[in-house]
Amino acid sequence: MTVAIQIEPEELMAHFDVHNARLKDHLYETLQAMRARGSVHRSDAHGGYWVIVGHREVTQVARDWRHFSSAGGVVLAGTKPQKYVPVEYDPPQHQSFRRLLNPHFSKDAAAAFEPQLAAFADGLIDQFIWDGSADLTEAYAKPLAAHFFFDLFFGLSPDEAAQCEQATNQAMFSSSVEDQIEGFSQLENYVRQLAVRRRGLPSDGGFIDSIRTGEVDGRPVTEEELIGIIQLMIVGGDDTAVHTIGNVLLELGRHHEIRDRLAADHSLMPAVLEEAIRHMPPAVSIMRTVTEDIELGGQQLKAGDRVILMWSSANRDETVFESPAEFQLGRENIRQHIAFGGGVHKCIGEWFARTIVSVAVERLLRRLPDLVVPPDVRIDYRMGQSRGPSAVPVIFTAGR
C-alpha cells in the first residue's frame, strides 16, 4: 500500500539528512518514495553524499569493506574527534580487536546478566504498576538500559552515567552540527578522564580494565584505543537499547493479539523481536567511504565519495519483504533483515540487545499483560543515526 506524503518529498529527498527534524516523523514514507525511483540517490546535505536505500545494495556495501571502507568514519557530519574502535577499522585490524572484544559480547555473556536485569526491571515496574498508566520510555526503558550498560557492564556511578547519557544524547540527536560536535567532545573528555584515572592500576576484573590490560596482535591496547572502544560502546549501546525496547513495546501496545500470544507464550519472543527490529530498526544508518571508482545501483560512485547505508530502508524493501510496512509475526524470510548490519562490521552488541529487550518485555507482560497504547496518542520520535519513540504512553489494569 502506498502512503501519501503530506510534506515536500522532493525537498526531503534532495537534502536527505537523518538529523533533519522534519524527516523524523516521515522517514519511512520518504524512503519508500526514494526506493520507487531507485536504490542509490544523491543528497546535497553535508557537502554531498550518496544515500543507499535498496536492500540488495545496502547488503552489498555492508559486506564489501574493500570498496566501502569504515576507516574514513561512520558519522557523516564529521562531528566527533575520536576514532571509534573497532567499527572504524577495516580488516585485518578490525578482526584483531573483535577477537579481544567478542568474549565480552557473546550470547552466554549477555545471558549472565539476566537475573540482575530482571530484578531491576521488577523494581521499576513496582514504581508505576498501581498508577494504571505510564510512559514506558522514561519510567522503564531508559533506566533499565542505563542500569545494564552503565552499572552492570561498565561499573560507573549514577553521576558518571548521567554525564555520559547527556553528552551522548546531544551528540547523537541534536539537529545542530555545533551541538553534535560539543556532545561528542564532552563524551570524549569524560571517557579520557576515566581512562586516565585507571592508568597504571591493577585490573578490577570489569570490562574497562579487561580491555585496558588486554593485548591485540601481541602488544598492549593503547590508551587512545581504549578511549575509542569505550565511546563506541556507550554511543552504540544505551540509546539503541532504549529505542529497541520502546519500538517493541509500541508494537505490542498496538497489536493486542500479538501481545496476548506473547504474554501466554514467551517462547514467541525471538520471533516478535526479529520482526520488530525489521519493522522499526533502532539503527537508522551508518557511513562508509568509497575507496575506488565503482558502479552501484546504476550510479557511478567515485573514490572518496561518502555513502550512507539506510538500514531502515533496506528492512522495508518491497522487493524482499511482502507488505513491509506491516508488522507480521512469522515471516518466512525474516532472517533477511539487516537491522544489526552485515559483514565483518555487524553489530557486536546484538546479543546484548536481544537479552535486554527479551527480559524487559517478559517482565513487563507478566505484570501488565493488558497494556495498551491509546489509539489517539501521537507518538513523537527522536532520530539521528538511531531512531526510537521519545515516549511510549500506555494504560493498563493497575496493580496486577
Side-chain angles (χ1 to χ4, degrees), residues 25 135-138 141-142 239-251 254 280-282 378-383 386-393:
D25 294 325
D135 170 9
L136 294 180
T137 294
E138 291 295 328
K142 282 187 176 181
D239 285 316
T240 304
V242 172
H243 291 167
T244 307
I245 294 171
N247 287 336
V248 174
L249 293 177
L250 270 182
E251 304 283 19
R254 289 167 166 169
M280 290 200 296
R378 179 183 180 277
I379 302 299
D380 187 31
Y381 291 86
R382 63 174 184 170
M383 188 176 81
S386 178
R387 181 179 186 269
S390 300
V392 181

Side-chain angles (χ1 to χ4, degrees), residues 59-72:
T59 302
Q60 175 185 337
V61 173
R63 293 174 176 172
D64 184 4
W65 57 267
R66 290 179 176 85
H67 289 98
F68 301 95
S69 173
S70 294

